[in-house]
Amino acid sequence: MPERGQSPPPERSSGKQMHDVPASGKGTDDASHKEDINKEALEHLTSNPRGPMEDEVERKFAKTAKPNV
């Protein structure tokens, strides 16, 4: 008896696993404006986005010492 999670031997495989042709490749999402959506997303993409802690690090290490006058 095969261990759990193993595929059955080829002679016991179902038609979907062995002989049936693959699906037509038609997805369920609507990709009619895919190029426009991708181009718009790319235009708003920053080359080096700020990290979540960058503002805090800049505030913490800012030179705030006032000169003694």
Side-chain angles (χ1 to χ4, degrees):
M1 177 169 223
E3 290 188 29
R4 217 174 223 171
Q6 290 185 343
S7 298
E11 60 271 5
R12 290 188 50 224
S13 296
S14 67
K16 289 183 179 180
Q17 293 172 329
M18 294 295 294
H19 307 292
D20 289 354
V21 296
S24 64
K26 303 281 188 202
T28 57
D29 62 337
D30 178 27
S32 58
H33 301 290
K34 188 176 190 177
E35 291 295 323
D36 296 333
I37 293 170
N38 287 343
K39 186 179 281 188
E40 182 179 329
L42 187 61
E43 288 173 359
H44 298 295
L45 193 64
T46 59
S47 62
N48 192 12
R50 291 181 64 80
M53 297 297 292
E54 285 190 45
D55 292 334
E56 182 63 23
V57 169
E58 287 178 6
R59 185 193 64 77
K60 184 174 183 178
F61 293 105
K63 294 186 177 185
T64 57
K66 296 180 182 176
N68 294 337
V69 178

